[in-house]
Amino acid sequence: MMVLEMVGRRKNINVEVSQTSETYFPLWIYKHLDQSMNLNINEERTKEEKEITKKLIAVSLWCIQTNPLDQPPVAKVIEMLQGILQSLELPPR
């Protein structure tokens, strides 16, 4: 969750929002993942840095799955981080 907060530059819960769908941060990440600018990914970063950021987001979303059976073991996390971005799938919401 900390990696997602760092990438999105916001905390997990924003008590000042009016819509409850905006209070759960992972849903906000899913919603804005395709819109890189809203995640601040396009700010003066190289292509490689943008890909690393997207990879960290995908792996982080896998690691915070509410069902423990959906969470990858550490060996799989390392494999995902060492692999290429295009081979990563996003977990279910």
Side-chain angles (χ1 to χ4, degrees), residues 51-70:
E51 286 189 8
I52 290 170
T53 302
K54 289 180 180 182
K55 188 186 300 185
L56 288 171
I57 290 169
V59 173
S60 297
L61 288 171
W62 274 111
C63 291
I64 63 166
Q65 291 294 295
T66 53
N67 182 351
L69 297 175
D70 292 335

Side-chain angles (χ1 to χ4, degrees), residues 12-61:
N12 183 19
I13 296 179
N14 184 353
V15 293
E16 298 173 4
V17 295
S18 59
Q19 297 177 353
T20 56
S21 64
E22 293 180 25
T23 60
Y24 188 57
F25 187 63
L27 291 179
W28 182 87
I29 287 284
Y30 271 110
K31 180 180 175 183
H32 293 89
L33 190 57
D34 292 330
Q35 305 165 7
S36 313
M37 291 184 71
N38 291 338
L39 290 175
N40 300 312
I41 293 175
N42 289 328
E43 293 180 359
E44 300 179 19
R45 295 190 182 159
T46 66
K47 181 180 178 182
E48 182 181 355
E49 290 172 329
K50 292 174 191 176
E51 286 189 8
I52 290 170
T53 302
K54 289 180 180 182
K55 188 186 300 185
L56 288 171
I57 290 169
V59 173
S60 297
L61 288 171

Side-chain angles (χ1 to χ4, degrees), residues 1-10 25:
M1 186 56 78
M2 182 177 68
V3 171
L4 292 175
E5 289 177 353
M6 290 168 45
V7 170
R9 295 184 182 177
R10 60 178 276 199
F25 187 63

